[in-house]
Amino acid sequence: MSRERGSAAARGRAGKAEELGPRLEATRRLSARLAEGLAAEDQVVQSMPEASPTKWHLAHTSWFFETFVLESFEPGYRPFHAKFRELFNSYYEAVGPMHPRPQRGLLSRPAVAEVMRYRAHVDAAMQEFLIRGAGEAAAARIELGLQHEQQHQELVLTDLLHAFAQNPLRPSYREATALPSAPRPEKGSQAAAPARWIGFGGGVGAIGHTGPGFAFDNELPRHELLVRPFELASRPVTCGELAEFIDDGGYHRPELWLADGWATARALAWRAPAYWERHDDAWFAMTLDGMQPVVDAAPASHLSYYEADAFARWRGARLPTEAEWELAARGAPAAGNTLGSGALRPLPARGGGGLEQLVGDVWEWTASPYAPYPGYAPATGAVGEYSGKFMCNQMVLRGGSALTPDGHARVTYRNFFYPAARWQMTGLRLARDVTDA
Amino acid sequence: MSRERGSAAARGRAGKAEELGPRLEATRRLSARLAEGLAAEDQVVQSMPEASPTKWHLAHTSWFFETFVLESFEPGYRPFHAKFRELFNSYYEAVGPMHPRPQRGLLSRPAVAEVMRYRAHVDAAMQEFLIRGAGEAAAARIELGLQHEQQHQELVLTDLLHAFAQNPLRPSYREATALPSAPRPEKGSQAAAPARWIGFGGGVGAIGHTGPGFAFDNELPRHELLVRPFELASRPVTCGELAEFIDDGGYHRPELWLADGWATARALAWRAPAYWERHDDAWFAMTLDGMQPVVDAAPASHLSYYEADAFARWRGARLPTEAEWELAARGAPAAGNTLGSGALRPLPARGGGGLEQLVGDVWEWTASPYAPYPGYAPATGAVGEYSGKFMCNQMVLRGGSALTPDGHARVTYRNFFYPAARWQMTGLRLARDVTDA
Amino acid sequence: MSRERGSAAARGRAGKAEELGPRLEATRRLSARLAEGLAAEDQVVQSMPEASPTKWHLAHTSWFFETFVLESFEPGYRPFHAKFRELFNSYYEAVGPMHPRPQRGLLSRPAVAEVMRYRAHVDAAMQEFLIRGAGEAAAARIELGLQHEQQHQELVLTDLLHAFAQNPLRPSYREATALPSAPRPEKGSQAAAPARWIGFGGGVGAIGHTGPGFAFDNELPRHELLVRPFELASRPVTCGELAEFIDDGGYHRPELWLADGWATARALAWRAPAYWERHDDAWFAMTLDGMQPVVDAAPASHLSYYEADAFARWRGARLPTEAEWELAARGAPAAGNTLGSGALRPLPARGGGGLEQLVGDVWEWTASPYAPYPGYAPATGAVGEYSGKFMCNQMVLRGGSALTPDGHARVTYRNFFYPAARWQMTGLRLARDVTDA
Amino acid sequence: MSRERGSAAARGRAGKAEELGPRLEATRRLSARLAEGLAAEDQVVQSMPEASPTKWHLAHTSWFFETFVLESFEPGYRPFHAKFRELFNSYYEAVGPMHPRPQRGLLSRPAVAEVMRYRAHVDAAMQEFLIRGAGEAAAARIELGLQHEQQHQELVLTDLLHAFAQNPLRPSYREATALPSAPRPEKGSQAAAPARWIGFGGGVGAIGHTGPGFAFDNELPRHELLVRPFELASRPVTCGELAEFIDDGGYHRPELWLADGWATARALAWRAPAYWERHDDAWFAMTLDGMQPVVDAAPASHLSYYEADAFARWRGARLPTEAEWELAARGAPAAGNTLGSGALRPLPARGGGGLEQLVGDVWEWTASPYAPYPGYAPATGAVGEYSGKFMCNQMVLRGGSALTPDGHARVTYRNFFYPAARWQMTGLRLARDVTDA
């Protein structure tokens, strides 16, 4: 991956200035709440180079406000600690040197308590700054910082899940936290109702952000493009369907796979989605509630792009392009099974009409490589590194997941990961061409 | 890259059946001629996993005809050697097991002489087969085999260049071969005339192959898309311009680079294009004529996508999309400085009007990830692995190079390599948006 | 290295049975005390595969008593946690599967508090067991467990130092603990008095453990061997002398190095002992008191065997064999600057007569590969894996260090590490042949 | 390994000066003869970093005479090619830079014919030099060069075997050469007569070279040591016995293995000696005659130290130390199944009385790490790098193999390889302690 990001520049207007203070407080509080109840030990571990320790996330999001707001706009601001500039710089070359990413897990200090003091220091300085009144540029940066912190809230959870999954004790995140538990699906083996194909006409359409709300710079500029008629499945692919793929030898049939995908699957001995384990006759999966039976009717998750692509080929379908996805999703409700639901996992579709589960549940891999929109220009300065420099070798995902903070994602939102990534809550929705009868 | 390919399916008509025999003979002869005069030793070396020994190329192209034509369409055909099915299978999973690619250079046997006997065996069987008359399907496969062999002719040369470049003796390919020498540019330090910007209007256009000639399946289907007005440089970026980029610190300024590109450039200590070396005050580069002074006016070559992208950013420009390139190139002459010129290197532009050097000289990196065209479907059977399974993680290049066999490339031709690849003859042409005054 | 060991079999008599209880309690308490004051975060980090997290050491030493004493000799003993058998098995194949060593740092659970409960559980069970009276075999195992735990006490400190040294904040272990601080050398730049050569005659001598006290099985059997007359330096090589080696280009002169050492030093860019850093005109070194000026008169430490060997060659000397060392040391006082001194670092020699600093300060690399003594036989059962299986590819060190628990080392004690290891407190003492005038 | 060596300094007298010319000619001719009949392609391949291409061996041995004799002792000598000083320097840091060892196989040039011209050039210069009369120092260097070339003769064959074994065609070296074929053992499944134990008394003995003949510096100085009574097996372990070890699960029982050996065997999936393959119910092994049935009565070969050690432990025995081996072998006949026999493989023992097969058949792993003898001092100058710098991490082997040139090995001869090496013709002979009844 290449994330700890949001997106460089708020091209749309930021939220109203008078709301920034309360929103800042609420967002910052949520981050801290996600770590509440965790042992200090849980917050140190880095289980792979792509993941980061919880306390690193908590510190880095504070660093973001410190570096890009307070140091830029608050004369006389004194950083909390001289070394933090380097320790918690994720990837901003323009800011200066950075602690190597794969070595974040070697840092026992600053300890969690010190990180929380760092957060409090930054929070206090930010509120003081806001009281004196932030100008337009500062407000835009604060908005960016909020969105950025939301992205890291999701990463806190996905990275913890990955770390816990390495532990033979299979710890449960939930038990350790104050988060309420959601009702769980009752039976693991109940299949979902079949997905329906929903058709969309072709022609010239426009995608990309428009209007007054916030958007990352990679959602801009809004632009027109030409699509052909297509159909989308009414809901994401389910665990039950994925199990059929496994049973049909899907992980052993090279003709279903991209070459790089096949090589990856061989090298890493993939036999099922990440976190799935076979016990006797049933599939179980590691979740934030520990090891749980796989729920057939729920969307399949923790799939790489390669698996998503292979599954689609197996079904005689394909993945949608991001343009198709966005055009189809336009106007759909922005609410869904996101972080606030407390489920912390994808849930079965309700089965009503139309496209379901567009927002929340699982990020949906699209067939679109992550590339700049026509006319794209990154912001100037260090925050210009937010999105643009990652526009190579990654694939776009759409829609948000059960771990995405409420209200964070939108239909124009472009998430992106390397095609081999599996530790995010990633699934797929099928698409197909409309062919004349 | 992942090439030793052509493309699976001839969707357009193949060449006329009665021409196949002579074309086959000529193409096969050219392959052998490229290896003439080489020491047997030169034909064994594999200098990196992505490259292959000359004799492997010579054997694999024969294997292609043997496997996909003779074994498929010639009842009773007996393979030359039972083990060759595995030894010279490049990547066709449907054909069966294959010798690991990184270990091709461990095979001293079959020796060159045995490979030439293999070629003669296949050639004789193919001519016999043609005399009896090939049906439409077989003719299409033969056409594919011819195009495939042409692709390997270019790879023979690029792989040899890479191998020779590892040798402190800096051997010259040319001296060893029967190929005539082309006139060389007279002065290394004469700069090219500045490139001009040539404008193209926006709107709906169509790209992809059409008409009766051969095309690889990745050039299909022809389809419409929407482009915005744009400008292309009249010629590729030159070595002199690239030297300015170096002098301006281009290889040390992260703000110019994609994140993956910067990481690659750091890890591999890139300071200049591949094969460039600084001696005293001048740049030299390893070529098929050995180490030679860099010619300022000639197109820069042996650049990765990352370097091409960084150079464009440095110039305040960008790379063209493949659609822009193809729409602009439509109608341009298909001839250029290709293999038949004997130059074996990019030559300075002549400086006439219009777009120059579209075909030949250097493959031009585009901003387009290699992806299927809307409605793309690979051929069925093993040859379906020709193109489609590589449509991930690679970038499209257009135009052909000084090492591309004459007549092989077309304006709809899609070449593709991983963005870090530098051993192909790859350069770039600048593009930019048209903005209202 | 391959240590978390002591040595399988107490061939000598174990300590008196009635003393085992109090010694056990004291030893276990010291381990806990070493971790007191550390943040929980400090106890999770694994900074390289060869090192282990503090809490892993604390758990593993409990596992040792649980597995090799309680499960073996206490009928009906119930293990604290079913999974711990695997999680805290270091390398005993006969016990069963083990959690992969390089992944010890991925385990946030059991948290420190749970590990301390594990320790308490085992301690209580052990004391109960002792009250009922341990037989001879059990007593020998308990003795082994005590010695084993002492070895891990040293590893706790060396592993923490390594972890802290990776942290740009350069934390101090001392500040966090209840350990008293020792007086520090007053001036960093005061050189030690020159070492004197002390001669020893040749002939047949005997080395190896004898007598009633405990010894690891690798110290047995005591045996005779023939040595030639030799001389040993009166004290270990100092930091000041090591700095001269650096100034004389020692790290850049291949003729001084073993081939494997030179390759290692090149690959890892060694320019000074581990933990040394140059600031302006002075050397500093990371210690358990944080970054400190290098003390010229103190023994050089954190040297690999390769560096020790190269230094000796530079001085026209050599390393002693372990037989020479032991024969010379016989009868020397067993006390020295060990853990109980509270210095936590090597201190300057006092400069009195005779061999100084044999025990404590720094482990001294010998020229002897770690190999079995003639007639060596490991213990039977799983504890037979304690020493014998590591007798290849490692070098013997003698004497103990400033981090070795008091009373743990003896003149027959054989420590061993891979020749490239530098994170232990390892230095050298010069030796030379006696040649006739 | 770390060989391309012989040993730096002829401490004994070299052969008589007037014999040097004819011996030089004969030795150089044998090297060329070993490559006769090979395809040029066979001489280029480097199948692993530890092995070298045939033509590299042929060039390097010439470089040795050129660098250490002609350039040192022949005023006005002009090297054959300026770049060869670097290309064919194996590891002599004092001579200057060297082409990286793992990249020897990337050099197609100089081609074999050019290498043969290089050899002829050096041979002519050497004979001219000898005609004018070589002084004592030069004669000693020539002697060293001869011994060095003999070492490379064995390496030519072992490296070719390794390369051929990577090729699914399993080529035969023999068919390509002028070497006569030896009579082959008649039945693969005939077991050898049981080995007998032969006893040797303990006490002070002397090992190391003495007398007028040549010896490498690592055989010096001759010195006394103390050994305990021991027994040696009358012959090396056979293939049939090794097959029993396999059948008894030897490769799956960690308790038989050294820790490093077990890790290596797991990582590399060892299930049998190198080059062994199971077909149906029988073992076959790759040899210089291609794939052949394993001969039960012949010595087992291509074993690592780890396997040799594990086998010995399985049999309740151990490996001999090099001192035991040498003391036992003293006075034994120096002839055996060496290169001149033409067998090119170990042959069954004849079964007569006494120690058999000490010289030839298989190099025998000893329990002795390769270390300097007491008082050892390498030669001065670049040839001082011949032996001494490798005295770490390797194990001593004794006796010579079926590929060792006749007359090359002696009872004092110390061969050495890393314990994981298997591509040399290496086996073992059992030893055991004598215990009082």
Side-chain angles (χ1 to χ4, degrees), chain A residues 386-399:
Chain A
Y386 202 100
S387 302
K389 73 181 185 182
F390 302 110
M391 291 178 172
C392 190
N393 298 325
Q394 307 201 46
M395 302 301 291
V396 172
L397 301 103
R398 293 298 192 113

Side-chain angles (χ1 to χ4, degrees), chain D residues 114-144:
Chain D
E114 179 79 351
V115 167
M116 297 314 289
R117 278 190 289 277
Y118 180 34
R119 289 185 69 85
H121 172 92
V122 169
D123 284 343
M126 285 295 296
Q127 294 297 348
E128 274 181 50
F129 175 74
L130 282 169
I131 284 167
R132 281 193 294 279
E136 194 176 341
R141 283 285 177 80
I142 295 170
E143 180 69 51
L144 182 61

Side-chain angles (χ1 to χ4, degrees), chain C residues 93 204 221 223-226 228 254 257-260 262 305-306 369 371 374-375 388-393 395 418-419 433, chain D residues 93 204 221 224-226 228 254 257-260 262 305-306 369 371 374-375 388-393 395 418-419 433:
Chain C
E93 302 276 357
V204 172
H223 61 286
E224 294 191 322
L225 41 69
L226 191 63
R228 313 203 306 176
W257 293 70
L258 289 164
D260 286 355
W262 183 246
Y305 173 79
Y306 296 132
K389 73 180 185 182
F390 301 110
M391 291 178 172
C392 191
N393 300 323
M395 302 302 291
Y418 288 109
D433 295 339
Chain D
E93 302 276 357
V204 172
E224 294 192 322
L225 41 67
L226 191 62
R228 312 202 307 176
W257 293 70
L258 289 164
D260 287 355
W262 184 246
Y305 174 79
Y306 297 131
K389 73 180 185 183
F390 302 110
M391 291 178 173
C392 191
N393 300 323
M395 301 302 291
Y418 288 109
D433 295 339

